């Protein structure tokens, strides 16, 4: 009997290999937090082999003493909370990150775990880059690193050391709006505006690769940027209009 | 997220040295899977050794009927590479279907392969194309490499340097994606080399697997029609909120037929 | 001025023309500030401890270890705020933090303020809560059958009542049974509408600041202070009231500020735990406190679409006239009432247009379950029954061999009439909506004629333009706007309306510019602060354009009159001959005679003193019946919508590819057609998402912790991407409402409704399979296709108009 406890990016499957004799050792494969898999909570099983690391995963051998066992994983608990703002409270590492942001050399301290988006928002105070989801879906945090669009919530600040970063605040130059900004404003490609900075930065990356994207190509490219207001109609129009402007 | 020490060495040797010198440390090759896991506290390494600053992991070259892609190449780079498009366009297409553009701009071939997510796209390509995973110390055939969910024979300090893909006569990939993550709910890569046909399935089971019945049917008649009525057993397939095992089994058949149709 | 050179299509200079949003530049440059962008000196970060149990008694809470942790400045529990609240004054059933009982996985139990989120999280882990677990209710039907042997979700108000029932509504109009029995055809169906949530991209965020003392002394000599709360809310006025009441602070000493809101859709339309917690924690710590929900917490806060279990019987004559409609609805409400009392009425009350119903009965029951509370999501309470009813009509049309658009035409209720439940309908452009979608979709050439797998479906709907009565009973205006003009020629508009992306700041600016003749960039909208803006009740029930718009016109015209009078005196002409337009005051008989508005304003200020005005709007009171519940669903005006959806069904995988939706909407008058189209597209998109993919579902004991949200992330809860979203074509219909501002009605919610039934009906046209349960996700559709294959019914349906009148005896067609 195979049961999937949880699935998404993250898979927790346990296999009871012998339904007739549930106490036969079975495998329970999960990500683990501690070396001994101690966070696997529940009743009705014993960990007979703590498991070996395979890549990032862990397979532990469990012996079920009850059938079925009750197993809970971290995702079975509510609120695996994400802390967004990490102060520089002095822990394992505190490297100084030096990078160019919107054409200006900047420097700041960051922990290893500090996400690029937190560094941008909290350390540099550039609040035009937003956070909407915690799980790398919404794209409100998209910035350019080395000219390519990335989700700054899924990149460490320390990895941007030495890089050239552009945020929404750096799009206008010498008081002139970037054609993408003009297009979003003119074509009503924004309503609440929360997704707009990420949308524009994704759009600019696209136009850099494909000067004249079709409607379908724009839609494909914007898959990593969620908008809940517009139905995307005017966003697509805006990106295409900006592409025409940027090409011309 | 727990804090950790961070290193970005410039060579594989330095990376290994750093890793060995730090307890409970992990390689990170783009971080598009590891960082989300760390945010959920599902991975909490004491140190992260980033492989993104290593030049020797980069590059794409043709070698005697094979394509050798550096482990550090991002999915975008693979998708947009003329060399890959010309040699194995299905592989470029597969790389271009991973996640979203921003994930593709950071995520790497080596990272994806080492992670061995059972729903990732690359494992299907590696297995169907009969690719070889090349590490700092050995070469491992794809079928031996993917050992199930997140499991590989990689040692803790072992670094994938490149993957060698033999160029097939033709190949096609078709995926039924999870609409949010674009991971495969059922993804099928079909590759043909003369009479030899390999069909690799990702997303449907707890690891990539070959659909041997499909391979036999296609070996005799390489056409989508040859798979009419063919299906895989739902037994052992994943059943979850996305899709039941039965639905996945059905989708594997549909995706296989479409992958055959996509073969150039 | 952005409108230079634009074609003027009405009597107005700006109204009716495409104009940019006034805050669009800020939003496209990253300057726009949302609540989480604000940082204050000494600010602490808060986190809320949430219940891991769906239903449990709180035996004890020990916060001492948390309080002792370095960096922790304050901890609060339910005992610190033991006052119930609720957005509907008759159903106050929740505490800011649970006092004695938790009712869903994720219910707030305690909150911590610390120097940063990490420390706050560590502190949460140190809080020891002892729970006594209670049996939980997850299924509304089981909850309805509860006998009190285990604790109800809430204590019943009367001893013999079922405490799991929030509200029961039974209303009957006309001779339902007689007319049903006399019908030539009756269609019966059972429908299920899955719950879904708003998923605004901005998570909820609030900052509290308590300034103790501050010169305020209560009469009893006790020191008081001033409370300021910034929040991503769409109801600052209700938040203002509830903060004062729950925290026992004089309402005059509470100030609510509303930075720009990153989307809401109903998900921010009542007070939430974080707003009370930041306020209380600031009162305790003396420092500003911010709480930002994680995405996961947004899913627990919810207040989204109720799951509806619905049964409909719909009768018609052979000629295709509706005879009788009978509905039975069970609403799965979740753990708290929220707007549920209203939802229970809306479930039935809002169905009575655009079709004439000779008889109508509905029985609607909202049930408490141990899940996050449901509430108002775009199209509150009426999206679900509309889905069922429009599919019923499709089935009935087919039964009678009538084209479904024709069927809808035949039953059009008309304008300036009353519905069977006595709601006053004024303007009604539904026929034009039908005609638009019929024409643009080439319906007549394609319905039932596309190849197998491809189909078209139609649906219609109506929605309120604001509720006729405020949430708490009072006779004061629903909306107020204050305006002043100054010596620079500028107009300052003080607006209490909630800008949540829909464009209400722009709307009042357009009105000010239109009425006072100033360029749009001379209008400054000052907003989002209860200290200096008049009350507007909030951005809900599609009330803002109609009510705030009318208030703005009222304020602007008072000022305009003074300016006209002063200029007329200067020119020695009649005030009525003075026009204000294009930045000028002009003399109508000879527009060469003109002056800059600034000069005109200065003349007016010299004559009348400092120039300011207020305007307000309140609803007419004779727009509904006199029966109990008659006021709920009453609105000063109704919008009307019709959609046609085109789908292609992949019969191998069950994927429904919605190719296009034609969206025709009667918005009265489009004050700015670009903004109206944006609302129509956004609505149709959101309906599309509910139709195809969105599901707010919970685990059962088999699959983890029972009652735990199954998908509290955007990874697992799917909302449509740009690639998923179909082509949307907006077709504006203008019926010019007699009471709307320049004739305008709502556009932000109505156009969501028909998306879902239109897609369901299109699927039927494509493959002959009825989808009566949401969502039409690939596995669900595939299952239905497999069943049809098995029954050998998987085929293109045939349209045979007028081929055969149905039998004259009533015929029951069981639901699919």
């Amino acid at each position: 009997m195979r049961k999937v406890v949880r699935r998404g990016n993250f898979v927790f499957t346990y296999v009871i290999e012998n339904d007739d004799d549930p106490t036969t050792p079975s495998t329970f494969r999960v990500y683990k937090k501690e070396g001994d898999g101690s966070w696997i909570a529940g009743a009705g099983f014993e960990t007979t082999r703590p498991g070996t690391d395979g890549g990032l995963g862990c397979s532990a051998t469990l012996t079920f003493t009850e059938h079925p066992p009750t197993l809970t994983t971290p995702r079975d608990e509510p609120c695996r909370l994400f802390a967004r703002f990490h102060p520089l409270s002095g822990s394992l590492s505190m490297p100084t990150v030096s990078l160019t942001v919107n054409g200006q050399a900047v420097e700041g301290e960051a922990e290893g775990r500090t996400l690029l988006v937190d560094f941008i928002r909290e350390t540099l105070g550039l609040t035009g880059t937003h956070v909407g989801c915690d799980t790398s879906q919404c794209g409100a945090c998209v910035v350019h690193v080395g000219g390519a669009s990335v989700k700054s919530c899924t990149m460490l600040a320390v990895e941007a050391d030495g890089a050239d970063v552009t945020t929404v605040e750096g799009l206008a130059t010498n008081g002139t709006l970037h054609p993408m900004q003009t297009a979003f404003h003119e074509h009503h490609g924004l309503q609440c505006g929360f997704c707009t900075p990420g949308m524009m930065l994704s759009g600019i990356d696209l136009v850099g690769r494909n000067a004249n994207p079709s409607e379908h190509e724009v839609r494909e490219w914007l898959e990593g940027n969620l908008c809940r207001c517009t139905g995307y109609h005017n966003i697509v129009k805006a990106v295409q209009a900006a592409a025409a402007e940027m090409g011309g | 997220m727990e804090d950790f020490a961070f290193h970005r060495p410039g060579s594989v040797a330095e990376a290994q040295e750093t890793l060995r010198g730090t307890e409970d440390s992990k390689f990170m090759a783009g971080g598009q899977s590891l960082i989300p896991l760390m945010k959920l506290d599902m991975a909490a390494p004491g140190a992260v050794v980033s492989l993104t600053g290593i030049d020797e992991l980069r590059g794409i070259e043709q070698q005697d009927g094979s394509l050798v892609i550096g482990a550090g190449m991002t999915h975008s780079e693979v998708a947009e590479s003329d060399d890959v498009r010309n040699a194995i366009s299905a592989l470029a297409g597969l790389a271009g279907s991973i996640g979203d553009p921003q994930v593709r701009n950071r995520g790497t071939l080596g990272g994806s392969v080492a992670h061995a997510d059972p729903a990732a796209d690359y494992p299907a390509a590696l297995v169907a194309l009969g690719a070889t995973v090349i590490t700092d110390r050995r070469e491992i055939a794809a079928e031996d490499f993917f050992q199930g969910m997140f499991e590989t024979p990689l040692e803790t300090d072992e670094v994938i340097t490149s993957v060698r893909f033999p160029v097939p006569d033709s190949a096609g990939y078709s995926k039924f994606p999870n609409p949010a993550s674009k991971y495969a709910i059922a993804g099928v890569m079909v590759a043909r080399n003369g009479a030899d046909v390999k069909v690799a399935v990702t997303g449907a089971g707890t690891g990539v697997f070959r659909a041997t019945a499909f391979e036999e049917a296609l070996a005799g008649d390489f056409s989508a029609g040859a798979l009419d009525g063919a299906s895989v057993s739902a037994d052992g397939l994943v059943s979850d909120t996305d899709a039941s095992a039965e639905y996945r089994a059905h989708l594997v058949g549909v995706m296989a037929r479409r992958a055959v149709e996509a073969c150039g | 001025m952005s409108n230079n050179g634009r074609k003027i299509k009405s009597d107005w200079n700006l109204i009716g023309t495409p104009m940019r949003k006034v805050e669009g530049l800020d939003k496209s440059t990253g300057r726009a500030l949302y609540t989480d962008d604000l940082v204050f000196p000494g600010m602490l970060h808060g986190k809320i401890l949430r219940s891991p149990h769906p239903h449990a008694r709180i035996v004890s809470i020990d916060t001492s270890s948390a309080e002792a942790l370095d960096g922790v400045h304050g901890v609060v529990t339910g005992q610190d705020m033991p006052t119930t609240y609720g957005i509907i004054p008759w159903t106050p059933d929740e505490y800011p933090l649970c006092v004695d009982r938790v009712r869903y996985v994720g219910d707030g139990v305690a909150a911590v303020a610390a120097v940063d989120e990490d420390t706050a999280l560590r502190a949460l882990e140190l809080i020891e809560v002892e729970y006594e677990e209670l049996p939980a209710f997850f299924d509304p039907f089981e909850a309805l059958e509860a006998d009190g042997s285990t604790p109800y979700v809430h204590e019943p108000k009367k001893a013999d009542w079922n405490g799991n029932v929030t509200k029961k509504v039974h209303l009957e109009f006309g001779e339902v049974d007689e007319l049903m029995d006399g019908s030539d055809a009756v269609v019966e169906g059972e429908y299920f509408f899955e719950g879904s949530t708003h998923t605004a991209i901005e998570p909820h965020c609030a900052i509290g600041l308590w300034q103790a003392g501050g010169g305020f002394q209560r009469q009893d000599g006790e020191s008081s202070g001033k409370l300021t709360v910034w929040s991503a809310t769409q109801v600052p006025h209700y938040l203002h009231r509830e903060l004062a009441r729950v925290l026992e602070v004089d309402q005059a000493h509470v100030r609510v500020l509303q930075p720009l809101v990153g989307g809401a859709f109903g998900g921010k339309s009542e007070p939430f735990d974080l707003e009370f917690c930041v306020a209380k924690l600031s009162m305790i710590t003396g420092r500003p406190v911010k709480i930002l929900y994680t995405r996961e917490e947004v899913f627990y806060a919810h207040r989204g679409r109720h799951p509806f279990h619905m049964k409909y019987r719909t009768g018609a004559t052979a000629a295709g006239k509706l005879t009788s409609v009978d509905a039975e609805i069970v609403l799965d409400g979740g753990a708290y009432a929220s707007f549920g009392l209203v939802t229970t009425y809306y479930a039935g009350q809002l169905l009575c247009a655009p079709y004439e119903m000779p008889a109508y009965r509905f029985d609607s029951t909202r049930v408490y379950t141990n899940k996050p509370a449901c509430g108002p999501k775009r199209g509150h309470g009426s999206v679900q029954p509309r889905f069922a009813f429009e599919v019923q009509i499709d089935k009935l049309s087919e039964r009678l061999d009538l084209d479904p658009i024709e069927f809808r035409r035949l039953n059009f209720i008309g304008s300036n009439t009353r519905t069977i439940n006595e709601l006053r309908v004024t303007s009604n452009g539904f026929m034009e909506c039908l005609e638009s979608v019929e024409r643009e979709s080439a319906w007549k050439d394609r319905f039932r004629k596309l190849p197998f797998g491809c189909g078209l479906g139609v649906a219609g709907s109506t929605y309120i333009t604001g509720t006729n009565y405020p949430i708490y009973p009072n006779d004061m205006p629903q909306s107020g706007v204050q305006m002043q003009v100054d010596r620079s020629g500028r107009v300052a508009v003080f607006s209490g309306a909630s800008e949540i992306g829909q464009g209400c700041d722009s709307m009042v600016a357009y009105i000010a510019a239109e009425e006072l003749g100033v360029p749009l960039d001379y209008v400054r909208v000052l907003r989002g602060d209860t200290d200096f803006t008049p009350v507007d009740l909030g951005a809900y029930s599609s009330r803002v354009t109609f009510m705030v718009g009318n208030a703005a016109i009222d304020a602007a015209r008072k000022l305009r009159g003074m300016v006209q009078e002063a200029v007329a005196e200067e020119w020695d002409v009649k005030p009525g001959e003075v026009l204000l337009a294009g930045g000028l005051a002009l003399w109508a008989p000879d527009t060469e005679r003109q002056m800059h508005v600034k000069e005109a304003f200065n003349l007016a200020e010299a004559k009348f003193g400092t120039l300011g005005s207020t305007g307000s709007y309140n609803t007419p009171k004779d727009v509904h019946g006199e029966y109990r519940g008659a006021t709920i669903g009453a609105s000063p005006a109704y919008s009307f919508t019709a959609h046609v959806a085109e789908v292609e069904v992949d019969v191998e995988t069950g994927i429904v590819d919605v190719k296009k939706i034609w969206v025709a909407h009667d918005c009265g008058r489009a004050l700015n057609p670009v903004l109206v189209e944006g609302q129509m597209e956004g609505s149709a998109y959101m309906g599309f998402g509910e139709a195809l993919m969105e599901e707010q579902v919970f685990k059962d004991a088999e699959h983890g912790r029972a009652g735990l949200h199954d998908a509290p992330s955007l990874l697992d809860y799917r909302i449509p991407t740009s690639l998923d979203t179909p082509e949307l074509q907006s077709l504006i219909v203008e019926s010019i409402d007699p009471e709307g501002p320049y004739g305008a009605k709502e556009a932000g919610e109505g156009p969501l409704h028909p998306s879902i039934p239109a897609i369901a009906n299109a699927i039927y046209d494509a493959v002959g399979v009825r989808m009566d349960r949401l969502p039409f996700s690939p596995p669900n559709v595939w299952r239905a296709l497999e069943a049809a294959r098995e029954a050998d019914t998987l085929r293109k349906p045939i349209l045979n108009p007028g081929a055969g009148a149905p039998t004259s005896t009533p015929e029951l067609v069981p639901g699919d």
Side-chain angles (χ1 to χ4, degrees), chain C residues 665-710:
Chain C
H665 180 70
D666 165 22
C667 65
R669 183 194 295 281
L671 302 184
N672 177 351
V674 183
L675 258 66
V676 171
E677 285 167 2
Q679 288 303 308
M680 292 164 66
E681 288 152 10
S683 292
Y685 146 89
M686 197 169 271
F688 159 80
E690 292 182 32
L692 257 66
M693 59 185 80
E694 297 185 27
E695 288 179 275
Q696 168 103 341
V697 291
F698 300 86
K699 288 183 193 300
D700 55 24
E702 272 279 283
H703 298 90
R705 186 183 286 278
L708 176 65
H709 197 300
D710 191 54

Side-chain angles (χ1 to χ4, degrees), chain C residues 389-427:
Chain C
F389 188 61
E390 294 290 322
V391 172
Q392 284 280 106
I393 288 184
D394 209 61
K395 293 175 179 174
L396 207 43
S397 304
E398 189 181 37
R399 186 81 218 142
L400 296 170
D401 282 325
L402 278 166
D403 177 303
I405 290 185
E406 211 44 54
F407 186 100
R408 287 171 170 84
R409 279 204 186 96
L410 278 171
N411 288 284
F412 178 56
I413 193 170
S415 42
N416 300 312
T417 183
R418 293 255 172 179
T419 61
I420 184 79
N421 58 345
E422 299 179 56
L423 300 175
R424 183 196 70 165
V425 173
T426 51
S427 59

